[in-house]
Amino acid sequence: MRLPLVSLFAALSLGLAPAVQAADDKPPPRVEVWSLTQTGAIGSAIFIQDRAAWRATDVLLPQLGDQTDHGLIGWIVVNQGDAQLVRFLRGGPNAPLPGYDILVDKNGRAGPAIQSKDAALPDDQIAHYLARNLAIANIGDLRCTANFNTVVLDDPDSDGWLVWLLAASKDANIVPMGGHYRFHVSADGRTLEKREQLSGGCLNMDRRQAGQDGQPAALFTTVLVAPQPLEVHVFLSLLNRLPIVIGTGDKIWAVEGARIEEIDTSKTR
């Protein structure tokens, strides 16, 4: 998984302790699930936003060069039709201001970094940024990595936000299956309504494990916190361009990008 802005915003390593796994072996509570179609759509939206953030970062970093006084405090990603507007922010954590804007098209191609001409952010974009920071400040005990990527989307079931902290690896061959979080945040970005731990523990998988022509045919994992695959599995499948096979109790599922299907195991008996 790419690590957007790690070198640019060292502080956005989230200030977390080194990667640890919670000592308590009890599985976390069950988490909210959507229909398979909606789960696929949300996982795809997570991937699109995450990709936009790191593609925009690749454009901005060379422009900043060796600057250490750039004054940037983070970023948000705003939908603009089929495109994503990545806004790098300056100012203070409670009063973010526009800094640089980069438009990333639907195919993931990033345009130039342009200094924003806006004097202020709209209220909803301020709330977006506050929701992101609130989630970061309320991560749980399960910390499978010191680095997390963040994604913020509209909550499809309320007027608030959904925020994901996605466990990240600096090794492109390692797929972090565990350690992801989902947060439900109020519309103004100031109230944490629910935190959901999306795995029972830490699990890093090597995408180079044996398969056809030295490439893995699929990755296999189990899910204890839900009766079906989650949006993070869709995201990881898209990110790594690999199918993921998932066991949930007595069911087996296949995740290939946004498509989630239950595997009929009776045919293999």
Side-chain angles (χ1 to χ4, degrees), residues 124-201:
D124 64 326
Q125 293 183 23
I126 293 175
H128 180 140
Y129 181 71
L130 294 178
R132 175 183 179 276
N133 285 356
L134 184 65
I136 290 169
N138 285 278
I139 190 170
D141 292 333
L142 182 69
R143 300 184 187 180
C144 302
T145 175
N147 298 300
F148 290 80
N149 291 337
T150 59
V151 167
V152 182
L153 297 174
D154 292 333
D155 188 335
D157 301 318
S158 77
D159 61 354
W161 305 96
L162 292 177
V163 184
W164 286 265
L165 297 188
L166 302 167
S169 171
K170 293 182 179 179
D171 185 339
N173 290 307
I174 298 301
V175 181
M177 285 289 181
H180 312 290
Y181 286 89
R182 182 206 296 152
F183 299 81
H184 299 249
V185 179
S186 62
D188 63 4
R190 299 179 185 274
T191 302
L192 177 61
E193 297 174 344
K194 182 165 59 174
R195 178 184 68 209
E196 296 178 288
Q197 183 179 305
L198 301 182
S199 67

Side-chain angles (χ1 to χ4, degrees), residues 24-31 142 181 196-201 224-226:
D24 190 348
D25 289 333
K26 293 189 302 183
R30 288 277 179 133
V31 303
L142 182 69
Y181 286 89
E196 296 178 288
Q197 183 179 305
L198 301 182
S199 67
L224 301 177
V225 299

Side-chain angles (χ1 to χ4, degrees), residues 54-241:
W54 59 261
R55 291 279 173 86
T57 302
D58 287 345
V59 170
L60 183 61
L61 284 176
Q63 185 166 322
L64 293 177
D66 296 329
Q67 287 187 56
T68 58
D69 59 347
H70 46 65
L72 298 177
I73 60 170
W75 76 98
I76 59 173
V77 184
V78 181
N79 286 334
Q80 288 207 339
D82 290 337
Q84 306 280 304
L85 178 65
V86 183
R87 310 204 77 177
F88 295 91
L89 308 178
R90 57 185 179 84
N94 294 314
L97 298 169
Y100 293 90
D101 290 339
I102 298 176
L103 191 66
V104 181
D105 71 19
K106 64 180 181 180
N107 296 312
R109 293 187 294 260
I114 300 171
Q115 280 194 295
S116 178
K117 297 178 181 178
D118 297 337
L121 290 175
D123 288 346
D124 64 326
Q125 293 183 23
I126 293 175
H128 180 140
Y129 181 71
L130 294 178
R132 175 183 179 276
N133 285 356
L134 184 65
I136 290 169
N138 285 278
I139 190 170
D141 292 333
L142 182 69
R143 300 184 187 180
C144 302
T145 175
N147 298 300
F148 290 80
N149 291 337
T150 59
V151 167
V152 182
L153 297 174
D154 292 333
D155 188 335
D157 301 318
S158 77
D159 61 354
W161 305 96
L162 292 177
V163 184
W164 286 265
L165 297 188
L166 302 167
S169 171
K170 293 182 179 179
D171 185 339
N173 290 307
I174 298 301
V175 181
M177 285 289 181
H180 312 290
Y181 286 89
R182 182 206 296 152
F183 299 81
H184 299 249
V185 179
S186 62
D188 63 4
R190 299 179 185 274
T191 302
L192 177 61
E193 297 174 344
K194 182 165 59 174
R195 178 184 68 209
E196 296 178 288
Q197 183 179 305
L198 301 182
S199 67
C202 301
L203 176 63
N204 288 332
M205 304 190 75
D206 192 329
R207 68 190 315 278
R208 296 167 297 185
Q209 61 194 31
Q212 293 182 349
D213 300 322
Q215 297 297 318
L219 297 175
F220 179 83
T221 189
T222 58
V223 173
L224 301 177
V225 299
Q228 65 177 56
L230 299 171
E231 68 279 6
V232 291
H233 302 116
V234 173
F235 162 70
L236 291 170
S237 176
L238 288 166
L239 181 66
N240 293 281
R241 300 181 182 180

